[in-house]
Amino acid sequence: MHILLIEDDLDLGRALQHSLKAEGLTSEWLRRVQDAPAAFEHGHFDCVLLDLTLPDGSGFDLLTAWRQRDIKVPIVVMTARSGLDDRLAGLDGGADDFVVKPFATPELISRIRAVCRRTARKVSDAWSFGDLCVMPRQHHATRDGVKLDLSPREYRILLELARDPGVVIPKGALAQRLEPLGDPVDFSTLEVHISHLRRKIGTNRITTVRGVGYMFQP
């Protein structure tokens, strides 16, 4: 994967490029808003890492401009701001994910890969896993051709886990994805929903990784 990194901090930028390279990802690093608009005219990127606070402008403006130009590349926003207003602005502007500084680099790499997988899956109308079929655009799932009676939250959990089959999704991350604009779902409630979902899609479909989270078995 080729990553466009937009970050003005020299130490963080160097560290991120080093970490990306160590994971087999190539990158191009820019530090100013004025350098970024032409980036997509000269190269292809699989993902953008975008800092919101840049010395000559706002990352929000770049985000909005790219989405208005119908640039669909996944964008992960890096910010020191954790407030609800900033998350709302980013989601409204078209961000695919957020990481709040300071963050662990392995988590960032994981998020990059996750948003790229999710973007690739969006081109498909149906995700098939043996007898189970998830249809994101129709907002339902079937088993052996029969539509499953899933609650909205059960369906959302299935959708989030099925986006990344074979990958462990931490409980905290899954709880936050279910309520991206508010307080995360508490873990006990999440476990109840997971239990109900297992009974409907097959008990072996979702594996609990003790002390970490859940993994969807494709």
Side-chain angles (χ1 to χ4, degrees), residues 2 37 78 84 87 90 101 105 144:
H2 190 46
M78 304 180 295
L84 177 60
R87 281 188 284 166
K101 298 177 181 178
T105 303
D144 287 326

Side-chain angles (χ1 to χ4, degrees), residues 1 6 9 53 60 70 72 77-78 108 117 142 161-163 175 180 198-199 208 217:
M1 284 190 289
I6 303 177
D9 185 278
T53 306
F60 279 128
D70 201 32
K72 293 183 171 62
V77 165
M78 304 180 295
L108 178 64
R117 285 194 297 269
T142 63
L161 292 175
R163 289 184 195 279
R198 280 186 172 125
R199 289 200 295 267
T208 299
Q217 299 287 357

